[in-house]
């Protein structure tokens, strides 16, 4: 096979001294010595396999290590031939599947799929020392009559922890809030589809008081005296709820200091991010 580092096709030998020109898959370099292929348009299996085999041979000569193929859902018929050529699933999104291949005869050092999902629990207390609580219409606690703090997960890519907490409280109860601090966080394993879970306990200040519960997921929502919430047998047994209550009261009454978001810049990106820190010691 003859090719160059920047070529878009290669010439392959065939029988009877004939040669066939085969197009390489369009790829861009990643920052770790690999390439990323983002397939677009239409392609039949035979053409795809020929180009994939030629491309792998070409990349192997170049010393490429990892190969990523982003396969849109409309090209799902190419999944099986890619897997037959040695590719593995990496992750899937609603519109595409990511496949990956490790070329060298050495340990595979490609990053694995996301290991965690991020959840929040919201402690919201008004000036009457009433906490915002809900009863769930679905899930493990449905029909139990148990009152709990609003909780949820960050479901949108690019959503910050503080923004997700504000959104979840608004969606479940209709209450507008200001984010104050991350009081603590818990790590749990073997949760949703076997993934690990990071759960951030957040304190928010209410800016409104009239409740409008989420009809699809919330059976009831209320402002409840904090003593009444704490007296529930379930709260006494469930340590996470007990600690959320203790942390919220410690923040309100005893000057407990949690972690506030600080917007920071980066040398690697123009996008701002947030560092959650305890500013008291700075």
């Amino acid at each position: 096979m003859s090719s160059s580092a920047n070529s878009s096709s290669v010439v392959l030998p065939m029988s009877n001294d004939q040669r066939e020109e085969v197009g390489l898959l369009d790829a861009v370099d990643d920052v770790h010595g690999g390439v990323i292929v983002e397939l677009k348009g239409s392609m039949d299996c035979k053409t795809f396999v020929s180009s994939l085999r030629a491309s792998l041979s070409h990349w192997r000569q170049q010393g490429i290590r990892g190969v990523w193929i982003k396969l849109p859902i409309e090209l799902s018929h190419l999944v099986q031939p890619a897997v037959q050529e040695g590719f593995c699933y990496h992750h899937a999104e609603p519109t595409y599947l990511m496949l990956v291949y490790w070329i060298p005869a050495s340990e595979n050092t490609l990053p694995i799929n996301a290991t965690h999902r991020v959840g929040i629990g919201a402690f919201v207390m008004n000036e009457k020392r009433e906490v915002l609580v809900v009863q769930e219409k679905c899930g493990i606690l449905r029909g139990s009559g148990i009152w709990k703090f609003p909780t949820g997960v960050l479901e949108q890519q690019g959503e910050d922890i503080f923004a997700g907490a504000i959104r979840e409280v608004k969606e479940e109860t209709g209450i507008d809030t200001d984010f104050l601090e991350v009081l603590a966080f818990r790590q749990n394993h073997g949760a949703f589809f076997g993934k690990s879970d990071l759960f951030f306990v957040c304190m928010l200040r209410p800016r409104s008081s009239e409740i409008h519960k989420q009809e699809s997921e919330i059976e009831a929502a209320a402002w409840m005296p904090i003593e009444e919430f704490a007296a529930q047998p379930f709260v006494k047994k469930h340590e996470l709820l007990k600690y959320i209550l203790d942390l919220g009261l410690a923040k309100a009454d005893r000057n407990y200091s949690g972690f506030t978001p600080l917007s920071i810049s980066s040398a690697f990106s123009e996008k701002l991010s947030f560092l959650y820190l305890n500013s008291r010691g700075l």
Side-chain angles (χ1 to χ4, degrees):
M1 182 184 74
S2 63
S3 66
S4 65
N6 298 316
S7 64
S8 60
S9 64
V10 294
V11 177
L12 300 177
M14 300 180 64
S15 59
N16 301 323
D17 296 326
Q18 293 181 349
R19 292 177 177 270
E20 178 186 22
E21 187 172 355
V22 177
L24 298 177
L25 297 174
D26 291 333
V28 296
D29 296 335
D30 64 20
V31 296
H32 301 291
V35 292
I36 302 171
V37 177
E38 187 168 351
L39 294 179
K40 298 179 181 179
S42 60
M43 182 177 293
D44 62 78
C45 291
K46 182 178 180 181
T47 301
F48 171 68
V49 170
S50 296
S51 294
L52 180 58
R53 289 175 177 174
S55 298
L56 287 172
S57 180
H58 178 67
W59 293 326
R60 186 174 286 108
Q61 290 183 1
Q62 290 184 309
I64 298 298
R65 301 192 300 168
V67 179
W68 304 85
I69 293 184
K70 185 177 181 181
L71 199 64
I73 195 168
E74 58 268 21
L75 294 180
S76 60
H77 61 283
L78 301 181
V79 172
Q80 182 176 354
V83 170
Q84 289 176 336
E85 294 301 316
F87 278 78
C88 298
Y89 296 155
H90 188 268
H91 67 272
E93 295 292 342
T95 59
Y96 75 87
L97 175 71
M98 187 68 77
L99 301 168
V100 67
Y101 184 91
W102 180 252
I103 294 179
S106 60
E107 181 183 359
N108 186 339
T109 60
L110 293 173
I112 63 174
N113 187 21
T115 60
H116 289 68
R117 72 169 184 171
V118 178
I120 61 95
F123 181 91
V124 185
M125 185 169 67
N126 61 21
E127 294 179 352
K128 300 177 183 179
R129 294 180 70 83
E130 297 171 327
V131 288
L132 185 62
V133 293
V134 298
Q135 290 181 350
E136 294 183 340
K137 185 176 289 186
C138 53
I140 193 172
L141 294 179
R142 71 180 184 273
S144 66
I146 293 172
W147 293 97
K148 58 183 284 293
F149 296 114
T151 59
V153 297
L154 302 190
E155 298 174 341
Q156 305 170 19
Q157 291 192 35
E159 185 175 44
D160 291 297
I161 293 169
F162 67 88
I166 292 172
R167 175 186 55 77
E168 282 290 346
V169 172
K170 178 68 172 179
E171 288 179 354
E172 292 192 0
T173 68
I175 298 297
D176 296 309
T177 58
D178 292 320
F179 183 88
L180 296 179
E181 291 182 349
V182 170
L183 299 177
F185 69 91
R186 180 210 64 184
Q187 184 182 28
N188 184 41
H189 302 294
F192 193 65
F193 287 123
K195 298 294 184 181
S196 298
D197 179 80
L198 288 173
F199 183 81
F200 290 84
V201 179
C202 303
M203 187 167 189
L204 301 95
R205 179 191 298 116
R207 291 197 290 111
S208 62
S209 59
E210 186 174 352
I211 291 175
H212 300 281
K213 71 181 180 70
Q214 185 181 35
E215 294 296 335
S216 61
E217 297 184 12
I218 302 301
E219 185 67 36
W223 291 104
M224 178 177 289
I226 198 165
E227 297 80 9
E228 183 179 341
F229 175 82
Q232 293 183 101
F234 181 74
V235 173
K236 295 179 179 179
K237 293 180 180 179
H238 193 52
E239 284 193 315
L240 179 60
L241 284 178
K242 179 180 179 299
Y243 273 108
I244 293 176
L245 180 63
D246 290 345
L247 288 166
L249 287 174
K251 174 63 183 176
D253 299 337
R254 299 192 297 275
N255 203 29
Y256 175 88
S257 187
F259 300 92
T260 54
L262 175 67
S263 178
I264 59 173
S265 59
S266 170
F268 304 102
S269 171
E270 296 180 355
K271 296 180 180 179
L272 294 177
S273 61
F274 289 91
L275 175 68
Y276 290 79
L277 53 81
N278 183 326
S279 59
R280 181 183 298 177
L282 293 180

